[in-house]
Amino acid sequence: EVYEFDFVHRPYSRRKRRFVQYAVINFTCVAAARRFAFIWEGRRLANAGHGLRIQAAPVQGRTPNVLYVRQNFAHGDARFDPLVFGRGWRVNFAVFAIVLYALTRRTR
């Protein structure tokens, strides 16, 4: 089976008390990312003053994204955690991040 994405994050700004105006989606293959961009580029969402702009993120891959969010967006509030999937099933972000962090520390 093929799952097209395995990580979705819309960061929350505590300072502004709202979600930021971008989201990160990690696609599992280039073809899925291209399909998404073809369909959604320029489309307007409800209450948006401009169309969507699709671009490659500086961090690529589920594991690097999970570790990046763990390090840079730790809120301690699960409501703002990214959605993480493994083989189509949602997995707990906090537990997954701890396990990945431990595994990356062991391989150094």
Side-chain angles (χ1 to χ4, degrees), residues 34-50:
R34 287 185 178 147
R35 272 192 302 278
F36 181 88
F38 179 78
I39 292 168
W40 288 98
E41 178 69 38
R43 285 205 176 188
R44 291 183 185 203
L45 301 179
N47 301 321
H50 54 81

Side-chain angles (χ1 to χ4, degrees), residues 48-91:
H50 54 81
L52 294 176
R53 194 175 97 216
I54 312 293
Q55 63 187 43
V59 178
Q60 295 288 314
R62 181 180 62 181
T63 296
N65 271 296
V66 168
L67 294 173
Y68 181 82
V69 169
R70 180 186 185 273
Q71 182 177 354
N72 295 290
F73 292 97
H75 288 288
D77 187 335
R79 294 177 301 165
F80 307 124
D81 284 349
L83 304 177
V84 180
F85 301 91
R87 296 185 180 168
W89 294 88
R90 185 169 176 194
V91 297

